[in-house]
Amino acid sequence: MGGIGAVLALVDSGSPLRGPFTLFFLLAAPAAAIAAALRGLDLFGRAVAAVAGAVVVNMLVTQGMLAVHRWSVRGGIVAVTAISALILLLVLVRRLRGRTTQRRTD
């Protein structure tokens, strides 16, 4: 559903589902990435921290774009997507490094 919202916003569709689906994407993408990074917490704590982190990511993207006078819906979606992907990539790299160091010590 989030991916559909991002695509609808990027192609500037006139669909009535564009707004809710895009909002879901803007909350779910960073929240999922942050939740993956916080796997040591219990489920409720991880959910609360992930949603709070998603709101912070969206606010920082918005403030940054407004500060440089480059606000656009497409740019915001691309920026949130890039930050979420970067967080997920860092989590994956950290997990892979953890596995290789465990194997080497065994």
Side-chain angles (χ1 to χ4, degrees):
M1 185 165 67
I4 293 170
V7 170
L8 288 174
L10 289 174
V11 298
D12 203 23
S13 172
S15 171
L17 296 175
R18 179 179 129 183
F21 283 7
T22 303
L23 180 62
F24 180 77
F25 172 77
L26 288 173
L27 287 175
I34 292 169
L38 299 174
R39 63 180 211 193
L41 295 176
D42 65 333
L43 184 61
F44 182 71
R46 183 190 296 185
V48 169
V51 170
V55 170
V56 169
V57 167
N58 286 315
M59 291 174 113
L60 288 174
V61 167
T62 303
Q63 286 181 346
M65 292 178 77
L66 288 173
V68 296
H69 303 288
R70 296 288 179 204
W71 171 251
S72 71
V73 174
R74 289 182 183 155
I77 291 172
V78 169
V80 169
T81 303
I83 291 171
S84 300
L86 180 65
I87 293 170
L88 275 175
L89 181 67
L90 291 173
V91 168
L92 290 174
V93 167
R94 187 180 73 189
R95 287 185 186 169
L96 289 175
R97 278 193 181 163
R99 288 183 183 167
T100 56
T101 56
Q102 285 178 348
R103 288 183 189 159
R104 289 182 186 164
T105 59
D106 290 340

